[in-house]
Amino acid sequence: MKVGDLVVMPNSSVGREVTGVVVSVTPPEIFIREKPSWYRAGKRLAVVWSDGGGRIDWEPREWLEVISESR
């Protein structure tokens, strides 16, 4: 997955598929120093969800499915 990909979380608890956009695959430096190893290991991606009010969520890579790749 890469920045700009459209993704969904097929097994989401909200009961419907919501589309999101990957906005980062690398955590900010502050996360690298202060957060657990899963932030540093590239196991999570920053996603802005269409129903999330503009908030960025760091989602586990394996929970996401690409529905449209960026160019």
Side-chain angles (χ1 to χ4, degrees):
M1 288 180 211
K2 59 188 177 294
V3 173
D5 285 354
L6 294 179
V7 295
V8 293
M9 191 179 299
N11 297 317
S12 173
S13 62
V14 297
R16 65 193 188 308
E17 282 194 352
V18 177
T19 304
V21 178
V22 176
V23 294
S24 180
V25 295
T26 307
E29 184 65 30
I30 186 101
F31 284 150
I32 293 172
R33 289 192 310 265
E34 298 178 2
K35 294 290 183 181
S37 63
W38 47 261
Y39 273 99
R40 294 189 296 273
K43 295 180 181 178
R44 295 204 176 212
L45 304 171
V47 179
V48 174
W49 295 104
S50 59
D51 70 345
R55 189 181 70 237
I56 295 173
D57 294 322
W58 287 89
E59 304 290 5
R61 184 181 292 264
E62 64 271 6
W63 290 4
L64 303 172
E65 178 183 313
V66 175
I67 59 170
S68 181
E69 294 182 355
S70 70
R71 296 181 189 197

